[in-house]
């Protein structure tokens, strides 16, 4: 296994898979997210539109969501993972379940986490850290 060095100053590698226009779009989005005023307006507008049932899910997914997530399923993430790997950029599969509180929700989360672990290359280490709604550790699993 090769030695991996993480360097947050290595922007050439971090953004190697992005075109100039994609980088400009990311810059615009992060500028907006960094503005408390714009962030507040955007958050309120999105919540209002969602409460009215307006079809904005695709807009959110294609803009803000795309900056932070590879997909909603392992299968959706595969294309992003492969694209990043071609530029020698590693990835981490996380499965988030914010706002879920029922046993059925947690059972589905557990099943998805197990599916995620099974999707890993067996030569790679991985870990899972599950928190309850109060932020307490429920379980922690490390596979090496």
């Amino acid at each position: 296994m090769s030695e991996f060095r993480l360097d947050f100053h290595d922007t050439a590698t971090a953004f190697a898979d992005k075109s100039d226009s994609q980088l400009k779009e990311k810059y615009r989005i992060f500028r907006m997210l960094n503005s408390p005023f714009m962030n507040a307006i955007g958050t309120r507008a999105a919540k209002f539109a969602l409460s009215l049932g307006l079809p904005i899910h695709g807009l959110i997914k294609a803009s803000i969501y795309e900056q932070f997530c590879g997909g909603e399923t392992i299968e959706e993430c595969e294309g992003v993972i492969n694209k990043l790997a071609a530029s020698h950029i590693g990835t981490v599969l996380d499965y988030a379940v914010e706002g879920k509180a029922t046993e059925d929700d947690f059972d589905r989360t557990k099943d998805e986490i197990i599916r995620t672990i099974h999707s890993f290359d067996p030569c790679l280490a991985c870990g899972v850290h599950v928190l309850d709604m109060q932020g307490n550790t429920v379980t922690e699993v490390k596979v090496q």
Side-chain angles (χ1 to χ4, degrees), residues 13-63:
T13 299
F15 300 112
D17 70 314
K18 303 293 179 225
S19 69
D20 287 349
S21 63
Q22 288 172 317
L23 289 172
K24 287 176 185 175
E25 179 64 18
K26 286 184 178 303
Y27 176 75
R28 282 190 292 274
I29 288 173
F30 278 94
R31 260 189 89 188
M32 183 187 76
L33 291 173
N34 200 36
S35 164
F37 176 72
M38 292 301 292
N39 198 317
I41 288 174
T43 300
R44 284 189 194 112
K47 285 181 179 180
F48 181 69
L50 289 168
S51 74
L52 294 176
L54 296 176
I56 66 165
H57 182 264
L59 175 65
I60 293 170
K61 191 170 181 179
S63 57

Side-chain angles (χ1 to χ4, degrees), residues 83-100:
K83 183 179 178 191
L84 292 170
S87 297
H88 307 289
I89 301 170
T91 55
V92 175
L93 287 176
D94 287 327
Y95 182 71
V97 59
E98 295 91 351
K100 306 296 182 184

Side-chain angles (χ1 to χ4, degrees), residues 70-85:
E72 295 182 55
T73 65
I74 294 169
E75 293 76 21
E76 281 185 22
C77 293
E78 285 179 6
V80 175
I81 291 167
N82 292 334
K83 183 179 178 191
L84 292 170

Side-chain angles (χ1 to χ4, degrees), residues 74 112-121 126-128 141 143:
I74 294 169
E112 189 66 17
I113 289 170
I114 290 169
R115 215 167 70 81
T116 301
I117 291 170
H118 287 285
S119 74
F120 270 87
D121 180 330
C126 70
V128 175
V141 178
V143 180

